[in-house]
């Protein structure tokens, strides 16, 4: 029996969605092996779509594929995340320093929209949506800097942190969102075009985020 490429793609999409869901729901643990045979049997598919799904997850940084050994869930260390945050701080301070002078009313409205969405995703306890909204807030600030190269670097570092935080994030252990008020304060400082206050608030925001990680 010949299986069409479209059928394999559909099956791969199904496997990808199922594995990604388990990762975000923390049904899989950091570093856990992901044997193709077991996944194929569990999801009632062949190994080909499983292999394709795993490669896609690897391209996103969620899975590691080791030749001759197989696939496993990524396992970033706490120190790797802290190191990434140090680079992030330099980039985001540069971005908000420039944004404080250049940000437009439209960009301020977009930031307010992200804050509103952040409230909703926290209530829903939707980790993936929460992290995306959080990233969007910072990306809009970077875009407001007017430096396209800087925007690219900020997006890259946030993408790395997005993957890392999936394995460490525990905001939902709290009754209230620890970063919401910080984002509101940053937005208010940007509305006033107060560069010094914007920089101070961003430094404090990222410092608190890193301290939270170190305590875990």
């Amino acid at each position: 029996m010949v299986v069409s490429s479209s059928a394999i793609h559909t099956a791969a999409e199904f496997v990808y969605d199922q594995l990604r869901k388990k990762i975000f729901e923390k049904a899989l643990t950091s570093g856990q092996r992901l044997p193709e045979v077991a996944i194929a049997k569990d999801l009632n598919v062949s190994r080909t779509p499983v292999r394709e799904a795993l490669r896609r997850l690897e391209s996103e940084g969620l899975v590691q594929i080791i030749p001759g050994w197989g696939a496993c869930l990524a396992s970033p260390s706490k120190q790797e995340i802290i190191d990434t945050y140090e680079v992030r701080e330099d980039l985001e301070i540069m971005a908000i320093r420039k944004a404080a002078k250049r940000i437009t009313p439209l960009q301020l409205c977009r930031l307010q929209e992200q804050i509103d969405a952040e409230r909703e995703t926290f209530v829903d306890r939707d980790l993936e949506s929460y992290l995306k909204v959080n990233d969007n807030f910072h990306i809009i600030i970077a875009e407001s800097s007017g430096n396209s190269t800087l925007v690219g670097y900020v997006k890259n570092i946030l993408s790395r942190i997005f993957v890392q935080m999936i394995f460490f994030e525990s905001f939902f252990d709290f009754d209230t969102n620890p970063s919401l008020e910080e984002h509101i304060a940053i937005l208010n400082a940007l509305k006033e075009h107060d560069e010094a206050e914007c920089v101070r608030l961003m430094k404090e925001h990222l410092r608190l985020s890193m301290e939270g990680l170190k305590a875990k």
Side-chain angles (χ1 to χ4, degrees):
M1 175 180 173
V2 177
V3 180
S4 69
S5 59
S6 61
I8 292 174
H9 177 74
T10 301
E13 190 74 24
F14 168 71
V15 175
Y16 168 82
D17 288 341
Q18 291 300 307
L19 290 176
R20 206 165 190 269
K21 181 180 179 182
K22 288 184 178 181
I23 292 170
F24 278 92
E25 291 179 346
K26 299 187 184 295
L28 300 173
T29 58
S30 178
Q32 180 176 335
R33 287 199 68 177
L34 302 170
E36 291 180 9
V37 174
I39 294 171
K41 183 177 179 181
D42 182 53
L43 298 178
N44 195 29
V45 297
S46 70
R47 292 179 65 178
T48 300
V50 172
R51 194 173 299 119
E52 186 177 325
L54 289 172
R55 282 198 295 263
R56 184 174 171 187
L57 290 167
E58 181 188 33
S59 71
E60 296 176 356
L62 294 169
V63 164
Q64 291 178 305
I65 298 177
I66 303 171
W69 188 79
C72 66
L73 205 58
S75 56
S77 69
K78 200 174 296 186
Q79 187 58 51
E80 286 173 335
I81 298 178
I82 291 170
D83 290 346
T84 307
Y85 255 87
E86 288 181 355
V87 176
R88 176 185 180 180
E89 181 177 342
D90 285 343
L91 292 173
E92 293 224 55
I93 293 304
M94 183 186 301
I96 202 165
R97 195 183 295 279
K98 292 177 176 293
K101 303 172 184 176
R102 303 172 57 102
I103 197 163
T104 66
L106 176 59
Q107 288 164 332
L108 290 170
C109 286
R110 290 175 62 204
L111 287 174
Q112 182 61 60
E113 288 173 353
Q114 296 309 308
I115 287 174
D116 294 340
E118 187 178 342
R119 284 193 181 96
E120 293 178 10
T121 57
F122 187 84
V123 170
D124 294 339
R125 298 300 198 261
D126 184 339
L127 177 59
E128 182 173 13
S129 295
Y130 177 84
L131 292 176
K132 284 182 177 178
V133 167
N134 199 293
D135 281 0
N136 286 340
F137 181 87
H138 290 270
I139 289 169
I140 292 168
I141 291 174
E143 290 172 345
S144 303
S145 73
N147 186 321
S148 60
T149 301
L150 180 57
V151 174
Y153 280 115
V154 169
K155 285 182 176 179
N156 181 275
I157 204 74
L158 289 176
S159 178
R160 291 172 64 93
I161 289 176
F162 181 91
V163 171
Q164 294 170 342
M165 295 301 282
I166 290 167
F167 301 103
F168 280 89
E169 191 54 80
S170 60
F171 281 156
F172 299 149
D173 292 342
F174 299 92
D175 293 330
T176 57
N177 180 350
S179 70
L180 182 61
E181 293 304 320
E182 296 161 24
H183 283 170
I184 292 172
I186 289 170
L187 174 56
N188 288 335
L190 284 167
K191 287 178 179 178
E192 297 298 322
H193 301 281
D194 188 336
E195 180 182 337
E197 182 67 357
C198 284
V199 169
R200 186 189 72 78
L201 288 170
M202 182 63 79
K203 283 184 176 180
E204 180 70 0
H205 175 50
L206 297 178
R207 183 187 67 79
L208 291 172
S209 295
M210 274 206 294
E211 284 189 354
L213 286 171
K214 289 176 181 178
K216 294 170 188 172

